């Protein structure tokens, strides 16, 4: 018999460990069809971890085990080793999230926990953002957006008054159970009558973009967001000094002629223009623009006179189409078909008035001219 699929409930809490039992109840008891986790991971602060251990995990009095027994739920792995205490920048336990540094550390921690939980392609991960500070819930939800697969889900559990936040309420009991509202009212209420609702939250799954930019394994939260942003907003850099174009974070080496041709069209696009395929008789101005870029692309590497001689009377349509075809092949070989469409040359109009430009937004096109340091996508000096 095949092993059951791993189902992970990852919950964030602060000082209210009840979120765990309320969510397990909602998923495994109230939901139709039920979704019973095989394990629970709890991400919380140092104080939250202590409260969870004391109120949830005792084998006899712990409310997590009471819930399992009362509703005859199968074995669910949840013990002290499943409680993850948020760590600060130096690796010490976080007692609370108070500073910008604490926020950044919590974001990195949650991204890593969710990255690991979603690493198994056969697993299902459900993330609950009902507990903890608002920033914890935000970071957990955003981390699932960065890492989530089609089978993963996100929710917030809603508890009606007067049970919401009540220190003695952990889930709707099967049989009547009397608890009391806080003083001075101290009114008796029946925990079996409580209404707990699981609100599933749709989210955008960006995992493919993050993996394509190698951010999933390498970046913290801020770096992962930047990596996805690079994919959503393509950035192009033409680097004459290195003989490459940077398509987002990927360096694509190009031969000088193709680099010059690409730079010519990129510069026109940056200036809000497009380039028309020249007539058979040749276009002197287009040849001048191309040679200006070619001298940068081939500086110090070769005798430029054969190319200058070939374009003495202008660039004709045949030369233009040859450069365009070679450039397209090199981009597709380096980037793959999908990304080559993003960074490739776009054709507009019909012959003989066909014009060419890039899909990349003008303000996302940058140039590193000869003599400038390689910017490595933003770290050096750029000509904009």
């Amino acid at each position: 018999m095949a092993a059951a699929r791993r189902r992970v409930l990852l919950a964030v809490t602060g000082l209210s460990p009840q979120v765990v039992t309320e969510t397990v109840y909602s998923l495994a008891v109230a939901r139709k069809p039920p979704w019973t986790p095989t394990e629970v991971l709890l991400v919380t602060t140092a104080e939250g971890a202590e409260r969870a251990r004391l109120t949830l995990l005792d084998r006899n009095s712990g409310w997590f085990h009471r819930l399992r027994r009362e509703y005859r739920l199968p074995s669910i792995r949840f013990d002290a080793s499943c409680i993850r205490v948020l760590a600060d920048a130096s690796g010490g336990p976080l007692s609370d999230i108070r500073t910008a540094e604490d926020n950044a550390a919590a974001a990195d921690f949650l991204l890593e926990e969710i990255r690991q939980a979603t690493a198994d392609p056969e697993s299902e991960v459900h993330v609950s953002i009902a507990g903890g500070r608002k920033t914890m819930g935000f970071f957990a939800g955003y981390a699932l957006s960065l890492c989530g697969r089609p089978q993963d889900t996100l929710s917030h559990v809603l508890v009606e008054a007067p049970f919401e936040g009540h220190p003695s309420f952990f889930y709707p009991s099967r049989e009547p159970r009397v608890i009391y509202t806080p003083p001075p009212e101290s009114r008796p209420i029946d925990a079996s009558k409580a209404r707990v609702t699981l609100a599933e939250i749709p989210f955008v799954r960006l995992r493919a973009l993050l993996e394509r930019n190698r951010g999933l394994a390498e970046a913290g939260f801020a770096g992962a967001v930047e990596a996805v942003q690079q994919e959503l907003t393509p950035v192009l850099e033409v680097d004459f000094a290195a003989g490459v174009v940077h398509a987002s974070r990927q360096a694509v080496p190009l031969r000088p002629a193709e680099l010059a041709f690409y730079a010519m069209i990129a510069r026109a696009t940056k200036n809000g223009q497009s380039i028309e395929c020249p007539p058979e008789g040749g276009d002197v101005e287009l040849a001048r623009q191309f040679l200006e870029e070619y001298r940068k692309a081939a500086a110090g590497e070769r005798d430029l006179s054969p190319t200058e001689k070939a374009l003495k009377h202008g660039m004709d349509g045949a030369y233009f189409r040859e450069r365009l075809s070679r450039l397209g092949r090199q981009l597709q070989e380096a980037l793959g078909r999908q990304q080559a469409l993003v960074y490739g040359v776009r054709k507009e109009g019909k012959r003989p008035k066909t014009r060419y430009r890039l899909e990349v937004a003008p303000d996302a096109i940058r140039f590193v001219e000869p003599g400038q340091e390689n910017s490595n996508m933003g770290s050096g000096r750029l000509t904009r």
Side-chain angles (χ1 to χ4, degrees):
M1 180 180 295
R5 172 177 273 197
R6 181 181 177 221
R7 290 180 166 183
V8 181
L9 167 62
L10 188 148
V12 293
T13 71
L15 304 183
S16 299
Q18 293 94 322
V19 167
V20 174
T21 45
E22 290 164 356
T23 304
V24 172
Y25 168 86
S26 299
L27 289 169
V29 178
R31 187 179 186 271
K32 305 299 180 191
W35 189 92
T36 306
T38 58
E39 62 187 279
V40 174
L41 295 177
L42 175 59
V43 179
T44 185
T45 59
E47 173 64 19
E50 183 65 10
R51 292 195 181 200
R53 282 191 289 267
L54 293 174
T55 60
L56 298 179
L57 294 182
D58 184 273
R59 279 289 167 185
N60 295 314
S61 62
W63 285 102
F64 175 77
H65 298 294
R66 287 192 193 187
L67 170 65
R68 281 191 51 242
R69 289 193 296 267
E70 190 168 341
Y71 285 98
R72 298 182 177 89
L73 298 179
S75 176
I76 301 172
R77 180 173 178 263
F78 183 41
D79 54 34
S81 70
C82 300
I83 299 176
R84 312 286 201 258
V85 177
L86 291 167
D88 60 23
S90 61
L94 264 179
S95 58
D96 200 357
I97 301 173
R98 294 286 187 184
T99 67
E101 291 76 15
D102 292 344
N103 269 280
D108 289 346
F109 190 95
L110 279 161
L111 176 61
E112 179 61 18
E113 287 295 328
I114 291 176
R115 183 195 69 79
Q116 290 185 23
T118 58
D120 176 4
E122 297 302 316
S123 69
E124 295 177 15
V125 176
H126 184 100
V127 173
S128 169
I129 60 172
R133 288 193 176 274
K134 292 178 181 179
T135 49
M136 287 178 65
F138 173 83
F139 289 140
Y142 210 122
L144 186 63
S145 187
L146 291 168
C147 301
R149 296 84 43 88
Q151 67 265 34
D152 300 326
T153 48
L154 179 70
S155 77
H156 186 291
V157 70
L158 306 172
V159 181
E160 68 173 10
F163 301 96
E164 181 182 14
H166 195 295
S168 296
F169 177 77
F170 285 81
Y171 59 87
S173 57
R174 197 179 186 110
E175 302 295 334
R177 183 172 73 86
V178 177
I179 58 178
Y180 293 87
T181 61
E185 185 183 36
S186 300
R187 176 169 58 93
I189 51 177
D190 184 356
S192 70
K193 304 296 185 184
R195 291 185 59 189
V196 177
T197 305
L198 190 79
E200 289 204 11
I201 303 169
F203 64 96
V204 178
R205 291 160 174 82
L206 302 171
R207 185 186 185 94
L209 299 181
L210 192 58
E211 287 182 324
R212 192 156 65 220
N213 226 330
R214 298 181 181 177
L216 189 61
E218 300 171 2
F221 188 87
V225 171
E226 181 185 355
V228 170
Q229 188 63 52
Q230 291 272 0
E231 292 292 330
L232 293 173
T233 308
V235 176
L236 173 70
E237 183 177 274
V238 179
D239 189 342
F240 292 106
V244 302
V245 295
H246 293 279
S248 285
R249 295 186 174 187
Q250 186 169 346
V252 181
L254 293 177
R255 289 185 287 268
E258 281 66 62
L259 182 62
F261 185 82
Y262 195 52
M264 178 180 71
I265 296 180
R267 208 175 293 275
T269 303
K270 186 171 180 64
N271 293 330
Q273 302 168 353
S274 58
I275 290 179
E276 185 176 333
C277 182
E280 296 307 317
D283 186 320
V284 174
E285 173 57 21
L286 194 61
R288 185 197 66 77
Q289 294 176 25
F290 173 78
L291 287 171
E292 184 177 336
E293 307 291 358
Y294 188 75
R295 293 183 184 105
K296 300 173 188 176
E301 294 186 10
R302 62 186 66 202
D303 181 7
L304 305 182
S305 57
T307 303
E308 292 173 336
K309 185 177 180 180
L311 296 174
K312 181 178 180 180
H313 300 293
M315 180 186 293
D316 61 18
Y319 190 96
F320 184 96
R321 287 189 290 273
E322 181 184 2
R323 295 275 80 80
L324 180 65
S325 177
R326 291 187 178 185
L327 172 64
R329 286 197 301 269
Q330 290 180 43
L331 289 175
Q332 187 158 324
E333 287 172 4
L335 297 173
R337 185 174 181 276
Q338 185 175 357
Q339 285 294 86
L341 291 174
V342 175
Y343 291 96
V345 180
R346 173 184 174 185
K347 180 170 69 172
E348 298 175 332
K350 297 181 179 180
R351 301 176 77 176
K353 296 294 184 180
T354 308
R355 303 190 69 88
Y356 296 86
R357 62 184 298 275
L358 300 185
E359 287 280 8
V360 181
D363 60 359
I365 299 173
R366 309 166 183 172
F367 295 88
V368 178
E369 305 291 349
Q372 293 180 335
E373 295 180 0
N374 187 342
S375 74
N376 194 24
M377 289 307 296
S379 61
R381 297 171 294 166
L382 298 177
T383 300
R384 298 185 180 275

